[in-house]
Structure formats: structure tokens, C-alpha cells
Amino acid sequence: MILRYIGVILGLALIVTLGCSGDDETIVGPADTTPPADILNLTASDPSGSTVTLVWTASGDDGVLARADHYEIKYSISPITEDNWSAATTVADPPYPSVVGYPDTCIVSGLSPVTTYYFAVKVADEADNWSGISNVVSATTLLAGSWSVYTESNSGLPSDMVRDIAATGYGRFFATNAGLAHLNGLTWTIFDTANSYIPGDDLTCLAVDGTGMLWIGTSSAGLSRFNGATFTNYSSDSTSLLSNSINSIAVSPDNEIWVGTTGGIFHQVDTGWVNYNTSNTSGGLNSNIIGSLAFDSAGYLWIGYNYGGASRFDGVNFEDFNAGDGFTSGGVISILPTAGRVWFGTEQGAFSYDGSDWSVLNTSNSELTSDVIFSIAVDLAGHRWFATNDGVFRYDGAAWTHYTTVNSLLPDNVVNMVKTDAYGTIWIGTEGGAAAFDD
């Protein structure tokens, strides 16, 4: 019995001795020397003017097992290698590694616009064992600015072909070749011939009068006025508006409606519509096919023809301008009166008239890459914007900026129209959708 007690005591002593030595040493397992596996599927996408999104699949702790401890993400304007890894810029606050096989994402911000960057990732475990460099990827940032893009695939637009955009007190409207789209906050409503009394689905132009009414032009079904609830239609079938092909709508300073058609100009009066055409205006219209109408601040009506220059109408007399005056001999697509100068978008460049002299901006004397100017706008800073069939251009009087589908989020390079609103936002309608741009 005594021997049994002695054995138990010796055994307990041995356990205590092994568990805690006099030097406070602890017996541990072998050291962790296995690094995480390399990231092999890093991608860089969705560039903006200052950001790029990186996505990859989490590897692991010991090779492809367990969960890694942290990432180091680097970027540089030169391809990244082991030799220059330390010199590359480190991304602050990278994401915590996910479980093996799950995706991880990092939005790299603070980048410079229109710059190509290279990106790579390393993975570490809790013992600070590091993987090798991931596959190196690159992306080019876009021109600076914030974009909102609306297409059939991401919005309520019935068609990507956007010909005009207008804002009223009850929302923003988009004229498309498949009906009228109304955006109010985040809610889209479509008005077409199947669900409303709009006269046609192939829309050409929009205008807002002084009472907030929206006027809508169609390619072959006449004109309509919309008050937010009902449509009032005007066509050759029911009114004295003798042409159903509407190219332009202008609102005079005294809130009268003037319409440019393929049958001349129509002016709405109390008794109906008064028509001005080549037959009834002595020394007046150059052509019955009106491409554009606009009123300047003095109340003059400017008229652009699909072919044959432009005219100015003071309510009594027409004054014509053509190639002999230094103006275009081709078609006038759009007109924008501004303070001290009237701008004309034509097939031969952007012409302007200051009351005595003509000037032109085209591919021969500017950075424009197309002479076909569909629309012109001036923003709150006085910068001029030109919608062309090769993207949209901004000119600040000294430098040009060319926005395309390659260097921006412009949805299509064929730009039908450009406008600026009271808040300074640039609205753009293209053959591939609409966009709102803030610099």
C-alpha cells in the first residue's frame, strides 16, 4: 500500500514537472512555415476617374487550407515585380480575407484620371508567412467626373435611342424611338401608343413652355402637349397643323409655340396654326424642311434648314444667312442662342454669329474629330459642349476634353443631344442610352 502511494506521488510530480518548469518554458508544436497559396485570378474592372475595382478568390492559410490572416495590395504605374514590390504604393485598409474559395473585393481609390495602373496582391498568415505576388493586372482610369447612365438594361428606358431630354416640375422626360420615358425620383413610367393617348412612339424632340407643359414632337404623328396627366394632340388629321413630321419645337419669350416641320414653320395662335413656307413668305424661308428653331434673348426666331443655311425672323421679315456670309452651305441640325452669340450645329462644324461676324470650329482648326455637330450646350462655367457622331467634346476656351466610350462612361459615341440643367448637370442622349454628367 505504501508503495502504491509513493507511485502516485511520483506520477503527480512528473506531470507537474512536465507542465511547468522552473524557467516558465512551454512545450509547443512545430513552427508554422507554410505560406498561403498565391492569388492567381486577380481582376481589375469598373474604372472611374479615380477608382478601380479589384476582385479575386481567397486562397488560404497553409497553402489552400484554413483562412489567411491579411492581405497587402499594391499598385503602380509600372508593372509590379518582386524587385519593385516595396516601391509600389500600398492600398490602405485592405479587406479581411474570406474563407477559402470565396470572392474578395477591394475598390482602390485616390487614383489619377486617364492613367494606366498595375495591381497585385500578396497574402499572409498569422505567422507572417507571405505568399508570392499574384497575377499582375492593369486598368486605365477614366476622365474625371461623375456619371449616371440609363439604358434599357438598367432603367425604365423603352429604347436606347435617346433623341432629347427635358425637365418639368413633375419629372424628367426622355424622347426615344419607342415612346416617352418619365423619370420621377427612382420611378420610371413609359407612355406609348399602347398605354396612352400619345400620338406616336417615334419621338424626335421635346420642349417645355412657360407654364411647365411638355411639348412632344413625333416623326410622323404630329405634335402633343402633356400636362403630367393627359395628352392634347395636334396633327393634320384634326387641326390646322398641316405637317405631322416634327423636327423642332421652340417657345417664344411670350410663351408662344413655334414648330419646325418638313412643311415649313407653324405658329400656334388662338385660331389654330399659322404656317410659314416658301410659297407664302416673300423673300422668306429658304426651305420648307426645318431642322431647328430657337429664340434668342431679343425675341428673334432663328431658323436652321436641313439644307440651305439659316434665317432670322423678327416677326415681320426674314434675314437669310448662307455660305456667302461665311456660314455653312450644308444642313443646320441645332441652334443655341447665348449671350452675345448664336451657335449652330451643322454638318460642317460648329458655327457661331456675334451679330456681325461668323466663326467656325471644325476638324481643321480645333480638336474636334468630327464636323457633324448634332447639338451644342453651354454649362454654368461657360464651357461649350458639342455632341457629335464621335463622342461629346467640352471646350473651355483654351483646352478640349473628348469624352468617348473608351475614356468615360458615355454609353455610345453617337451623341444625339447635350443639354445642361439649372444645377449644372450635363444631360446627354445617345444611340446607346442616356447619361447625366457632373464634373
Side-chain angles (χ1 to χ4, degrees):
M1 181 66 71
I2 293 173
L3 292 175
R4 181 182 299 171
Y5 287 140
I6 292 172
V8 171
I9 291 170
L10 290 174
L12 290 172
L14 179 60
I15 291 172
V16 171
T17 301
L18 291 173
C20 182
S21 70
D23 294 332
D24 197 26
E25 293 179 353
T26 302
I27 297 176
V28 297
D32 181 0
T33 59
T34 304
D38 296 351
I39 300 296
L40 301 177
N41 64 346
L42 178 67
T43 63
S45 61
D46 298 329
S48 71
S50 61
T51 65
V52 169
T53 299
L54 303 179
V55 179
W56 66 93
T57 302
S59 56
D61 184 338
D62 299 324
V64 294
L65 303 175
R67 187 172 186 163
D69 187 70
H70 58 281
Y71 290 122
E72 187 170 50
I73 304 172
K74 298 268 194 174
Y75 66 89
S76 173
I77 58 173
S78 301
I80 298 173
T81 65
E82 285 287 0
D83 292 337
N84 63 16
W85 174 263
S86 60
T89 302
T90 302
V91 175
D93 301 319
Y96 181 71
S98 296
V99 174
V100 176
Y102 282 79
D104 278 324
T105 301
C106 178
I107 298 178
V108 182
S109 60
L111 306 177
S112 298
V114 200
T115 303
T116 299
Y117 288 93
Y118 297 84
F119 304 88
V121 180
K122 283 188 176 184
V123 195
D125 61 18
E126 72 282 354
D128 218 28
N129 295 308
W130 285 93
S131 72
I133 292 179
S134 68
N135 60 302
V136 178
V137 295
S138 65
T140 302
T141 51
L142 307 180
L143 288 165
S146 174
W147 291 82
S148 297
V149 176
Y150 307 95
T151 65
E152 284 186 74
S153 63
N154 70 2
S155 74
L157 281 177
S159 168
D160 283 337
M161 184 180 289
V162 178
R163 292 174 174 151
D164 206 352
I165 303 172
T168 71
Y170 38 93
R172 192 169 297 276
F173 291 87
F174 301 78
T176 80
N177 66 336
L180 180 69
H182 175 215
L183 175 60
N184 189 7
L186 298 176
T187 302
W188 288 86
T189 305
I190 305 304
F191 300 96
D192 57 29
T193 52
N195 66 13
S196 72
Y197 289 102
I198 193 169
D201 292 332
D202 191 12
L203 309 185
T204 57
C205 55
L206 301 173
V208 180
D209 68 21
T211 66
M213 295 287 186
L214 178 70
W215 291 82
I216 306 156
T218 73
S219 64
S220 60
L223 181 72
S224 186
R225 183 184 66 190
F226 184 56
N227 65 4
T230 59
F231 293 90
T232 302
N233 298 329
Y234 306 88
S235 72
S236 60
D237 297 331
S238 58
T239 73
S240 54
L241 182 70
L242 301 179
S243 177
N244 289 333
S245 181
I246 312 298
N247 293 329
S248 182
I249 307 167
V251 181
S252 71
D254 55 358
N255 204 39
E256 294 184 345
I257 304 302
W258 295 70
V259 184
T261 77
T262 57
I265 300 171
F266 288 84
H267 172 210
Q268 189 184 39
V269 297
D270 291 340
T271 57
W273 295 91
V274 176
N275 180 220
Y276 298 87
N277 57 54
T278 55
S279 299
N280 64 17
T281 54
S282 177
L285 296 184
N286 291 339
S287 168
N288 286 332
I289 303 177
I290 310 300
S292 185
L293 296 175
F295 280 93
D296 63 22
S297 58
Y300 289 105
L301 176 65
W302 287 88
I303 305 154
Y305 305 102
N306 274 20
Y307 184 81
S311 294
R312 181 174 63 181
F313 182 50
D314 63 6
V316 178
N317 299 308
F318 292 86
E319 182 180 4
D320 296 328
F321 302 93
N322 51 47
D325 303 303
F327 189 43
T328 179
S329 60
V332 176
I333 307 169
S334 63
I335 304 174
L336 177 71
T338 63
R341 188 171 290 273
V342 181
W343 287 88
F344 300 82
T346 81
E347 298 171 341
Q348 297 174 325
F351 286 82
S352 65
Y353 181 62
D354 66 3
S356 59
D357 296 316
W358 288 90
S359 300
V360 62
L361 294 171
N362 55 32
T363 54
S364 66
N365 65 5
S366 73
E367 293 186 25
L368 288 170
T369 57
S370 172
D371 284 334
V372 179
I373 311 297
F374 292 118
S375 178
I376 304 172
V378 177
D379 64 24
L380 298 183
H383 303 155
R384 280 148 283 178
W385 293 75
F386 303 91
T388 79
N389 58 3
D390 187 31
V392 63
F393 292 79
R394 181 181 65 184
Y395 181 53
D396 65 7
W400 290 83
T401 305
H402 183 194
Y403 298 89
T404 69
T405 56
V406 173
N407 63 17
S408 74
L409 296 182
L410 187 71
D412 195 274
N413 284 334
V414 180
V415 183
N416 297 320
M417 53 76 55
V418 58
K419 287 182 178 179
T420 183
D421 65 19
Y423 304 99
T425 298
I426 306 300
W427 288 89
I428 302 167
T430 79
E431 297 288 288
F437 175 78
D438 289 289
D439 202 350

